[in-house]
mmCIF file of all heavy atoms in Angstrom:
data_model
loop_
_atom_site.group_PDB
_atom_site.id
_atom_site.type_symbol
_atom_site.label_atom_id
_atom_site.label_comp_id
_atom_site.label_asym_id
_atom_site.label_seq_id
_atom_site.Cartn_x
_atom_site.Cartn_y
_atom_site.Cartn_z
ATOM 1 N N PRO A 27 0.794 -1.237 0.001
ATOM 2 C CA PRO A 27 0.001 0.002 -0.001
ATOM 3 C C PRO A 27 0.824 1.283 -0.003
ATOM 4 O O PRO A 27 0.436 2.263 -0.645
ATOM 5 C CB PRO A 27 -0.831 -0.138 1.286
ATOM 6 C CG PRO A 27 -1.039 -1.617 1.429
ATOM 7 C CD PRO A 27 0.261 -2.211 0.962
ATOM 8 N N ALA A 28 1.959 1.304 0.712
ATOM 9 C CA ALA A 28 2.783 2.510 0.769
ATOM 10 C C ALA A 28 3.354 2.890 -0.592
ATOM 11 O O ALA A 28 3.788 4.035 -0.797
ATOM 12 C CB ALA A 28 3.906 2.339 1.777
ATOM 13 N N GLN A 29 3.369 1.944 -1.520
ATOM 14 C CA GLN A 29 3.909 2.197 -2.860
ATOM 15 C C GLN A 29 2.818 2.587 -3.856
ATOM 16 O O GLN A 29 3.102 2.708 -5.045
ATOM 17 C CB GLN A 29 4.629 0.930 -3.361
ATOM 18 C CG GLN A 29 5.802 0.522 -2.485
ATOM 19 C CD GLN A 29 6.360 -0.846 -2.900
ATOM 20 O OE1 GLN A 29 5.651 -1.857 -2.827
ATOM 21 N NE2 GLN A 29 7.618 -0.853 -3.315
ATOM 22 N N LEU A 30 1.611 2.805 -3.366
ATOM 23 C CA LEU A 30 0.472 3.125 -4.224
ATOM 24 C C LEU A 30 -0.020 4.543 -3.988
ATOM 25 O O LEU A 30 0.128 5.089 -2.885
ATOM 26 C CB LEU A 30 -0.672 2.148 -3.972
ATOM 27 C CG LEU A 30 -0.375 0.647 -4.111
ATOM 28 C CD1 LEU A 30 -1.600 -0.153 -3.706
ATOM 29 C CD2 LEU A 30 0.073 0.304 -5.521
ATOM 30 N N SER A 31 -0.625 5.124 -5.002
ATOM 31 C CA SER A 31 -1.276 6.423 -4.845
ATOM 32 C C SER A 31 -2.609 6.235 -4.119
ATOM 33 O O SER A 31 -3.086 5.104 -3.939
ATOM 34 C CB SER A 31 -1.527 7.047 -6.219
ATOM 35 O OG SER A 31 -2.515 6.295 -6.929
ATOM 36 N N GLY A 32 -3.213 7.358 -3.739
ATOM 37 C CA GLY A 32 -4.506 7.273 -3.063
ATOM 38 C C GLY A 32 -5.567 6.602 -3.927
ATOM 39 O O GLY A 32 -6.357 5.796 -3.447
ATOM 40 N N GLY A 33 -5.586 6.948 -5.218
ATOM 41 C CA GLY A 33 -6.559 6.331 -6.106
ATOM 42 C C GLY A 33 -6.330 4.841 -6.282
ATOM 43 O O GLY A 33 -7.291 4.061 -6.362
ATOM 44 N N GLN A 34 -5.047 4.436 -6.325
ATOM 45 C CA GLN A 34 -4.749 3.006 -6.445
ATOM 46 C C GLN A 34 -5.127 2.253 -5.179
ATOM 47 O O GLN A 34 -5.660 1.137 -5.242
ATOM 48 C CB GLN A 34 -3.262 2.833 -6.744
ATOM 49 C CG GLN A 34 -2.870 3.261 -8.153
ATOM 50 C CD GLN A 34 -1.372 3.344 -8.345
ATOM 51 O OE1 GLN A 34 -0.602 3.515 -7.384
ATOM 52 N NE2 GLN A 34 -0.922 3.241 -9.602
ATOM 53 N N GLN A 35 -4.886 2.862 -4.011
ATOM 54 C CA GLN A 35 -5.288 2.224 -2.747
ATOM 55 C C GLN A 35 -6.802 2.039 -2.701
ATOM 56 O O GLN A 35 -7.312 1.009 -2.245
ATOM 57 C CB GLN A 35 -4.834 3.071 -1.568
ATOM 58 C CG GLN A 35 -3.327 3.072 -1.363
ATOM 59 C CD GLN A 35 -2.926 3.863 -0.135
ATOM 60 O OE1 GLN A 35 -3.597 3.826 0.887
ATOM 61 N NE2 GLN A 35 -1.830 4.583 -0.242
ATOM 62 N N GLN A 36 -7.521 3.047 -3.217
ATOM 63 C CA GLN A 36 -8.980 2.945 -3.225
ATOM 64 C C GLN A 36 -9.423 1.766 -4.089
ATOM 65 O O GLN A 36 -10.312 0.993 -3.709
ATOM 66 C CB GLN A 36 -9.594 4.232 -3.753
ATOM 67 C CG GLN A 36 -11.125 4.211 -3.735
ATOM 68 C CD GLN A 36 -11.706 5.029 -4.864
ATOM 69 O OE1 GLN A 36 -11.233 5.002 -5.988
ATOM 70 N NE2 GLN A 36 -12.757 5.759 -4.536
ATOM 71 N N ARG A 37 -8.787 1.597 -5.233
ATOM 72 C CA ARG A 37 -9.156 0.497 -6.127
ATOM 73 C C ARG A 37 -8.815 -0.855 -5.511
ATOM 74 O O ARG A 37 -9.524 -1.842 -5.721
ATOM 75 C CB ARG A 37 -8.478 0.680 -7.475
ATOM 76 C CG ARG A 37 -9.218 1.676 -8.375
ATOM 77 C CD ARG A 37 -8.620 1.749 -9.749
ATOM 78 N NE ARG A 37 -7.388 2.522 -9.750
ATOM 79 C CZ ARG A 37 -6.377 2.335 -10.591
ATOM 80 N NH1 ARG A 37 -6.437 1.362 -11.492
ATOM 81 N NH2 ARG A 37 -5.308 3.105 -10.545
ATOM 82 N N VAL A 38 -7.723 -0.925 -4.739
ATOM 83 C CA VAL A 38 -7.399 -2.165 -4.036
ATOM 84 C C VAL A 38 -8.492 -2.503 -3.030
ATOM 85 O O VAL A 38 -8.923 -3.660 -2.930
ATOM 86 C CB VAL A 38 -6.023 -2.063 -3.335
ATOM 87 C CG1 VAL A 38 -5.775 -3.322 -2.494
ATOM 88 C CG2 VAL A 38 -4.912 -1.900 -4.366
ATOM 89 N N ALA A 39 -8.956 -1.492 -2.300
ATOM 90 C CA ALA A 39 -10.028 -1.717 -1.325
ATOM 91 C C ALA A 39 -11.306 -2.177 -2.039
ATOM 92 O O ALA A 39 -12.017 -3.060 -1.533
ATOM 93 C CB ALA A 39 -10.298 -0.435 -0.526
ATOM 94 N N LEU A 40 -11.586 -1.599 -3.207
ATOM 95 C CA LEU A 40 -12.757 -2.035 -3.972
ATOM 96 C C LEU A 40 -12.581 -3.459 -4.481
ATOM 97 O O LEU A 40 -13.506 -4.263 -4.431
ATOM 98 C CB LEU A 40 -12.969 -1.081 -5.147
ATOM 99 C CG LEU A 40 -13.473 0.326 -4.827
ATOM 100 C CD1 LEU A 40 -13.439 1.193 -6.082
ATOM 101 C CD2 LEU A 40 -14.880 0.278 -4.269
ATOM 102 N N ALA A 41 -11.362 -3.776 -4.953
ATOM 103 C CA ALA A 41 -11.109 -5.124 -5.452
ATOM 104 C C ALA A 41 -11.288 -6.160 -4.352
ATOM 105 O O ALA A 41 -11.837 -7.238 -4.576
ATOM 106 C CB ALA A 41 -9.684 -5.204 -6.017
ATOM 107 N N ARG A 42 -10.843 -5.819 -3.167
ATOM 108 C CA ARG A 42 -10.993 -6.734 -2.032
ATOM 109 C C ARG A 42 -12.468 -7.000 -1.750
ATOM 110 O O ARG A 42 -12.868 -8.142 -1.446
ATOM 111 C CB ARG A 42 -10.308 -6.140 -0.794
ATOM 112 C CG ARG A 42 -10.343 -7.048 0.432
ATOM 113 C CD ARG A 42 -9.553 -6.453 1.578
ATOM 114 N NE ARG A 42 -10.029 -5.138 1.955
ATOM 115 C CZ ARG A 42 -9.395 -4.334 2.819
ATOM 116 N NH1 ARG A 42 -8.254 -4.718 3.360
ATOM 117 N NH2 ARG A 42 -9.902 -3.168 3.110
ATOM 118 N N ALA A 43 -13.284 -5.955 -1.860
ATOM 119 C CA ALA A 43 -14.724 -6.126 -1.614
ATOM 120 C C ALA A 43 -15.372 -6.927 -2.743
ATOM 121 O O ALA A 43 -16.186 -7.821 -2.511
ATOM 122 C CB ALA A 43 -15.396 -4.757 -1.492
ATOM 123 N N ILE A 44 -14.993 -6.627 -3.983
ATOM 124 C CA ILE A 44 -15.601 -7.291 -5.143
ATOM 125 C C ILE A 44 -15.268 -8.772 -5.195
ATOM 126 O O ILE A 44 -16.101 -9.608 -5.556
ATOM 127 C CB ILE A 44 -15.173 -6.575 -6.442
ATOM 128 C CG1 ILE A 44 -15.734 -5.171 -6.482
ATOM 129 C CG2 ILE A 44 -15.611 -7.367 -7.678
ATOM 130 C CD1 ILE A 44 -15.116 -4.302 -7.560
ATOM 131 N N ALA A 45 -14.029 -9.114 -4.834
ATOM 132 C CA ALA A 45 -13.575 -10.506 -4.929
ATOM 133 C C ALA A 45 -14.421 -11.448 -4.081
ATOM 134 O O ALA A 45 -14.480 -12.650 -4.354
ATOM 135 C CB ALA A 45 -12.103 -10.601 -4.509
ATOM 136 N N CYS A 46 -15.074 -10.927 -3.055
ATOM 137 C CA CYS A 46 -15.902 -11.766 -2.180
ATOM 138 C C CYS A 46 -17.244 -12.124 -2.828
ATOM 139 O O CYS A 46 -17.972 -12.971 -2.280
ATOM 140 C CB CYS A 46 -16.182 -11.028 -0.872
ATOM 141 S SG CYS A 46 -14.733 -10.658 0.087
ATOM 142 N N HIS A 47 -17.590 -11.450 -3.925
ATOM 143 C CA HIS A 47 -18.902 -11.652 -4.570
ATOM 144 C C HIS A 47 -20.043 -11.484 -3.563
ATOM 145 O O HIS A 47 -20.899 -12.358 -3.401
ATOM 146 C CB HIS A 47 -18.991 -13.032 -5.212
ATOM 147 C CG HIS A 47 -17.980 -13.245 -6.297
ATOM 148 N ND1 HIS A 47 -17.720 -14.489 -6.838
ATOM 149 C CD2 HIS A 47 -17.154 -12.383 -6.955
ATOM 150 C CE1 HIS A 47 -16.783 -14.387 -7.760
ATOM 151 N NE2 HIS A 47 -16.422 -13.119 -7.849
ATOM 152 N N PRO A 48 -20.071 -10.328 -2.851
ATOM 153 C CA PRO A 48 -21.105 -10.149 -1.812
ATOM 154 C C PRO A 48 -22.466 -9.818 -2.416
ATOM 155 O O PRO A 48 -22.585 -9.456 -3.596
ATOM 156 C CB PRO A 48 -20.577 -8.956 -1.038
ATOM 157 C CG PRO A 48 -19.878 -8.129 -2.084
ATOM 158 C CD PRO A 48 -19.232 -9.140 -2.997
ATOM 159 N N GLN A 49 -23.481 -9.908 -1.580
ATOM 160 C CA GLN A 49 -24.822 -9.485 -1.992
ATOM 161 C C GLN A 49 -24.975 -7.972 -1.885
ATOM 162 O O GLN A 49 -25.783 -7.379 -2.604
ATOM 163 C CB GLN A 49 -25.877 -10.164 -1.127
ATOM 164 C CG GLN A 49 -26.063 -11.645 -1.402
ATOM 165 C CD GLN A 49 -27.269 -12.184 -0.653
ATOM 166 O OE1 GLN A 49 -27.344 -12.112 0.565
ATOM 167 N NE2 GLN A 49 -28.227 -12.722 -1.397
ATOM 168 N N VAL A 50 -24.219 -7.361 -0.961
ATOM 169 C CA VAL A 50 -24.360 -5.928 -0.721
ATOM 170 C C VAL A 50 -22.986 -5.299 -0.525
ATOM 171 O O VAL A 50 -22.143 -5.846 0.202
ATOM 172 C CB VAL A 50 -25.231 -5.660 0.536
ATOM 173 C CG1 VAL A 50 -25.360 -4.157 0.791
ATOM 174 C CG2 VAL A 50 -26.611 -6.293 0.388
ATOM 175 N N PHE A 51 -22.754 -4.142 -1.166
ATOM 176 C CA PHE A 51 -21.574 -3.323 -0.909
ATOM 177 C C PHE A 51 -21.938 -2.235 0.096
ATOM 178 O O PHE A 51 -23.007 -1.600 -0.027
ATOM 179 C CB PHE A 51 -21.072 -2.633 -2.186
ATOM 180 C CG PHE A 51 -20.362 -3.543 -3.141
ATOM 181 C CD1 PHE A 51 -20.562 -3.386 -4.507
ATOM 182 C CD2 PHE A 51 -19.474 -4.511 -2.704
ATOM 183 C CE1 PHE A 51 -19.910 -4.201 -5.418
ATOM 184 C CE2 PHE A 51 -18.817 -5.332 -3.600
ATOM 185 C CZ PHE A 51 -19.029 -5.177 -4.961
ATOM 186 N N LEU A 52 -21.072 -1.983 1.057
ATOM 187 C CA LEU A 52 -21.225 -0.887 2.016
ATOM 188 C C LEU A 52 -20.015 0.026 1.904
ATOM 189 O O LEU A 52 -18.881 -0.410 2.145
ATOM 190 C CB LEU A 52 -21.372 -1.421 3.430
ATOM 191 C CG LEU A 52 -22.474 -2.472 3.660
ATOM 192 C CD1 LEU A 52 -22.427 -2.990 5.090
ATOM 193 C CD2 LEU A 52 -23.849 -1.892 3.340
ATOM 194 N N PHE A 53 -20.232 1.277 1.530
ATOM 195 C CA PHE A 53 -19.136 2.227 1.336
ATOM 196 C C PHE A 53 -19.233 3.350 2.369
ATOM 197 O O PHE A 53 -20.249 4.055 2.423
ATOM 198 C CB PHE A 53 -19.179 2.850 -0.061
ATOM 199 C CG PHE A 53 -18.911 1.871 -1.168
ATOM 200 C CD1 PHE A 53 -19.577 1.995 -2.385
ATOM 201 C CD2 PHE A 53 -18.002 0.836 -1.018
ATOM 202 C CE1 PHE A 53 -19.321 1.113 -3.430
ATOM 203 C CE2 PHE A 53 -17.738 -0.051 -2.047
ATOM 204 C CZ PHE A 53 -18.391 0.081 -3.258
ATOM 205 N N ASP A 54 -18.199 3.507 3.180
ATOM 206 C CA ASP A 54 -18.181 4.562 4.211
ATOM 207 C C ASP A 54 -17.243 5.686 3.759
ATOM 208 O O ASP A 54 -16.048 5.658 4.009
ATOM 209 C CB ASP A 54 -17.713 3.983 5.542
ATOM 210 C CG ASP A 54 -17.827 5.002 6.681
ATOM 211 O OD1 ASP A 54 -18.448 6.065 6.452
ATOM 212 O OD2 ASP A 54 -17.285 4.746 7.761
ATOM 213 N N GLU A 55 -17.801 6.670 3.057
ATOM 214 C CA GLU A 55 -17.055 7.829 2.565
ATOM 215 C C GLU A 55 -15.737 7.426 1.903
ATOM 216 O O GLU A 55 -14.675 7.934 2.267
ATOM 217 C CB GLU A 55 -16.818 8.816 3.697
ATOM 218 C CG GLU A 55 -18.108 9.251 4.384
ATOM 219 C CD GLU A 55 -17.990 10.573 5.109
ATOM 220 O OE1 GLU A 55 -17.314 11.483 4.614
ATOM 221 O OE2 GLU A 55 -18.597 10.691 6.180
ATOM 222 N N PRO A 56 -15.764 6.542 0.908
ATOM 223 C CA PRO A 56 -14.519 6.042 0.333
ATOM 224 C C PRO A 56 -13.769 7.051 -0.524
ATOM 225 O O PRO A 56 -12.623 6.808 -0.894
ATOM 226 C CB PRO A 56 -14.988 4.861 -0.518
ATOM 227 C CG PRO A 56 -16.370 5.236 -0.929
ATOM 228 C CD PRO A 56 -16.941 5.968 0.262
ATOM 229 N N LEU A 57 -14.388 8.200 -0.854
ATOM 230 C CA LEU A 57 -13.732 9.172 -1.720
ATOM 231 C C LEU A 57 -13.167 10.372 -0.956
ATOM 232 O O LEU A 57 -12.517 11.229 -1.545
ATOM 233 C CB LEU A 57 -14.728 9.694 -2.775
ATOM 234 C CG LEU A 57 -15.519 8.647 -3.567
ATOM 235 C CD1 LEU A 57 -16.377 9.334 -4.621
ATOM 236 C CD2 LEU A 57 -14.593 7.623 -4.195
ATOM 237 N N SER A 58 -13.383 10.399 0.343
ATOM 238 C CA SER A 58 -13.062 11.611 1.111
ATOM 239 C C SER A 58 -11.564 11.882 1.218
ATOM 240 O O SER A 58 -11.151 13.026 1.463
ATOM 241 C CB SER A 58 -13.668 11.533 2.517
ATOM 242 O OG SER A 58 -13.129 10.434 3.223
ATOM 243 N N ASN A 59 -10.723 10.852 1.040
ATOM 244 C CA ASN A 59 -9.280 11.066 1.158
ATOM 245 C C ASN A 59 -8.601 11.407 -0.160
ATOM 246 O O ASN A 59 -7.374 11.520 -0.221
ATOM 247 C CB ASN A 59 -8.619 9.799 1.747
ATOM 248 C CG ASN A 59 -8.990 9.567 3.200
ATOM 249 O OD1 ASN A 59 -9.235 10.533 3.923
ATOM 250 N ND2 ASN A 59 -9.068 8.326 3.609
ATOM 251 N N LEU A 60 -9.392 11.559 -1.213
ATOM 252 C CA LEU A 60 -8.826 11.864 -2.530
ATOM 253 C C LEU A 60 -8.899 13.365 -2.797
ATOM 254 O O LEU A 60 -9.771 14.063 -2.271
ATOM 255 C CB LEU A 60 -9.608 11.112 -3.618
ATOM 256 C CG LEU A 60 -9.712 9.593 -3.458
ATOM 257 C CD1 LEU A 60 -10.535 9.006 -4.602
ATOM 258 C CD2 LEU A 60 -8.336 8.956 -3.406
ATOM 259 N N ASP A 61 -7.978 13.868 -3.655
ATOM 260 C CA ASP A 61 -8.051 15.270 -4.015
ATOM 261 C C ASP A 61 -9.240 15.501 -4.947
ATOM 262 O O ASP A 61 -9.866 14.564 -5.446
ATOM 263 C CB ASP A 61 -6.747 15.764 -4.644
ATOM 264 C CG ASP A 61 -6.413 15.034 -5.936
ATOM 265 O OD1 ASP A 61 -7.276 14.942 -6.826
ATOM 266 O OD2 ASP A 61 -5.276 14.554 -6.072
ATOM 267 N N ALA A 62 -9.568 16.774 -5.192
ATOM 268 C CA ALA A 62 -10.815 17.115 -5.871
ATOM 269 C C ALA A 62 -10.921 16.483 -7.251
ATOM 270 O O ALA A 62 -11.970 15.929 -7.617
ATOM 271 C CB ALA A 62 -10.948 18.640 -5.974
ATOM 272 N N ARG A 63 -9.847 16.535 -8.045
ATOM 273 C CA ARG A 63 -9.927 15.997 -9.400
ATOM 274 C C ARG A 63 -10.049 14.478 -9.378
ATOM 275 O O ARG A 63 -10.858 13.896 -10.096
ATOM 276 C CB ARG A 63 -8.697 16.411 -10.199
ATOM 277 C CG ARG A 63 -8.709 15.895 -11.621
ATOM 278 C CD ARG A 63 -7.713 16.578 -12.499
ATOM 279 N NE ARG A 63 -7.802 16.109 -13.867
ATOM 280 C CZ ARG A 63 -7.199 16.683 -14.881
ATOM 281 N NH1 ARG A 63 -6.460 17.759 -14.695
ATOM 282 N NH2 ARG A 63 -7.315 16.188 -16.095
ATOM 283 N N LEU A 64 -9.241 13.832 -8.538
ATOM 284 C CA LEU A 64 -9.294 12.384 -8.457
ATOM 285 C C LEU A 64 -10.611 11.919 -7.892
ATOM 286 O O LEU A 64 -11.141 10.873 -8.291
ATOM 287 C CB LEU A 64 -8.125 11.875 -7.589
ATOM 288 C CG LEU A 64 -7.889 10.356 -7.585
ATOM 289 C CD1 LEU A 64 -7.699 9.834 -8.988
ATOM 290 C CD2 LEU A 64 -6.678 10.035 -6.720
ATOM 291 N N ARG A 65 -11.205 12.710 -6.994
ATOM 292 C CA ARG A 65 -12.505 12.350 -6.432
ATOM 293 C C ARG A 65 -13.564 12.338 -7.523
ATOM 294 O O ARG A 65 -14.425 11.462 -7.547
ATOM 295 C CB ARG A 65 -12.891 13.349 -5.342
ATOM 296 C CG ARG A 65 -14.146 12.953 -4.569
ATOM 297 C CD ARG A 65 -14.518 13.992 -3.533
ATOM 298 N NE ARG A 65 -13.428 14.232 -2.617
ATOM 299 C CZ ARG A 65 -12.898 15.418 -2.370
ATOM 300 N NH1 ARG A 65 -13.376 16.506 -3.000
ATOM 301 N NH2 ARG A 65 -11.913 15.558 -1.520
ATOM 302 N N LEU A 66 -13.499 13.297 -8.434
ATOM 303 C CA LEU A 66 -14.468 13.348 -9.533
ATOM 304 C C LEU A 66 -14.298 12.131 -10.440
ATOM 305 O O LEU A 66 -15.289 11.509 -10.841
ATOM 306 C CB LEU A 66 -14.276 14.638 -10.329
ATOM 307 C CG LEU A 66 -15.241 14.863 -11.506
ATOM 308 C CD1 LEU A 66 -16.688 14.903 -11.007
ATOM 309 C CD2 LEU A 66 -14.893 16.151 -12.235
ATOM 310 N N GLU A 67 -13.056 11.785 -10.765
ATOM 311 C CA GLU A 67 -12.810 10.617 -11.595
ATOM 312 C C GLU A 67 -13.270 9.335 -10.900
ATOM 313 O O GLU A 67 -13.871 8.450 -11.537
ATOM 314 C CB GLU A 67 -11.318 10.530 -11.946
ATOM 315 C CG GLU A 67 -10.816 11.668 -12.815
ATOM 316 C CD GLU A 67 -9.302 11.623 -12.991
ATOM 317 O OE1 GLU A 67 -8.660 10.718 -12.413
ATOM 318 O OE2 GLU A 67 -8.770 12.487 -13.722
ATOM 319 N N ALA A 68 -12.975 9.233 -9.602
ATOM 320 C CA ALA A 68 -13.355 8.035 -8.853
ATOM 321 C C ALA A 68 -14.863 7.912 -8.737
ATOM 322 O O ALA A 68 -15.405 6.807 -8.753
ATOM 323 C CB ALA A 68 -12.719 8.081 -7.459
ATOM 324 N N ARG A 69 -15.541 9.041 -8.642
ATOM 325 C CA ARG A 69 -17.000 9.043 -8.556
ATOM 326 C C ARG A 69 -17.603 8.417 -9.804
ATOM 327 O O ARG A 69 -18.493 7.554 -9.722
ATOM 328 C CB ARG A 69 -17.460 10.496 -8.410
ATOM 329 C CG ARG A 69 -18.880 10.695 -7.990
ATOM 330 C CD ARG A 69 -19.110 12.158 -7.671
ATOM 331 N NE ARG A 69 -19.309 12.963 -8.871
ATOM 332 C CZ ARG A 69 -19.398 14.292 -8.846
ATOM 333 N NH1 ARG A 69 -19.266 14.944 -7.713
ATOM 334 N NH2 ARG A 69 -19.607 14.962 -9.958
ATOM 335 N N THR A 70 -17.108 8.837 -10.964
ATOM 336 C CA THR A 70 -17.613 8.292 -12.228
ATOM 337 C C THR A 70 -17.282 6.805 -12.340
ATOM 338 O O THR A 70 -18.121 5.990 -12.717
ATOM 339 C CB THR A 70 -16.983 9.058 -13.408
ATOM 340 O OG1 THR A 70 -17.289 10.454 -13.283
ATOM 341 C CG2 THR A 70 -17.528 8.539 -14.738
ATOM 342 N N PHE A 71 -16.050 6.464 -11.987
ATOM 343 C CA PHE A 71 -15.625 5.060 -12.059
ATOM 344 C C PHE A 71 -16.455 4.171 -11.153
ATOM 345 O O PHE A 71 -16.919 3.089 -11.547
ATOM 346 C CB PHE A 71 -14.151 4.963 -11.662
ATOM 347 C CG PHE A 71 -13.664 3.572 -11.385
ATOM 348 C CD1 PHE A 71 -13.393 2.682 -12.418
ATOM 349 C CD2 PHE A 71 -13.497 3.130 -10.074
ATOM 350 C CE1 PHE A 71 -12.967 1.394 -12.160
ATOM 351 C CE2 PHE A 71 -13.075 1.843 -9.803
ATOM 352 C CZ PHE A 71 -12.805 0.976 -10.862
ATOM 353 N N LEU A 72 -16.706 4.636 -9.922
ATOM 354 C CA LEU A 72 -17.436 3.826 -8.945
ATOM 355 C C LEU A 72 -18.866 3.603 -9.387
ATOM 356 O O LEU A 72 -19.406 2.494 -9.262
ATOM 357 C CB LEU A 72 -17.380 4.500 -7.585
ATOM 358 C CG LEU A 72 -17.946 3.728 -6.401
ATOM 359 C CD1 LEU A 72 -17.236 2.405 -6.230
ATOM 360 C CD2 LEU A 72 -17.825 4.560 -5.125
ATOM 361 N N LYS A 73 -19.507 4.630 -9.939
ATOM 362 C CA LYS A 73 -20.886 4.474 -10.402
ATOM 363 C C LYS A 73 -20.956 3.512 -11.577
ATOM 364 O O LYS A 73 -21.843 2.647 -11.631
ATOM 365 C CB LYS A 73 -21.436 5.851 -10.805
ATOM 366 C CG LYS A 73 -22.875 5.812 -11.329
ATOM 367 C CD LYS A 73 -23.846 5.266 -10.296
ATOM 368 C CE LYS A 73 -25.270 5.283 -10.812
ATOM 369 N NZ LYS A 73 -26.206 4.662 -9.869
#
């Protein structure tokens, strides 16, 4: 993780959740630690 950017760390956290094939995703402010531009990109990607 220390070798990753904030956006890459976010995607790792998402990958960890997706790999479980859950019935429900729960997201607790996952974009709040990103800068404004990356937050906008991540918002589109996540949707």
Side-chain angles (χ1 to χ4, degrees):
Q29 299 171 298
L30 304 175
S31 68
Q34 289 169 336
Q35 290 183 39
Q36 182 211 41
R37 279 185 283 151
V38 174
L40 289 172
R42 183 175 58 189
I44 294 168
C46 298
H47 299 167
Q49 288 189 301
V50 179
F51 286 141
L52 305 176
F53 293 145
D54 187 11
E55 305 202 38
L57 310 184
S58 61
N59 291 330
L60 305 179
D61 62 50
R63 180 165 183 170
L64 190 55
R65 188 182 303 125
L66 181 60
E67 294 174 359
R69 194 171 80 187
T70 303
F71 166 77
L72 187 58
K73 179 60 178 176

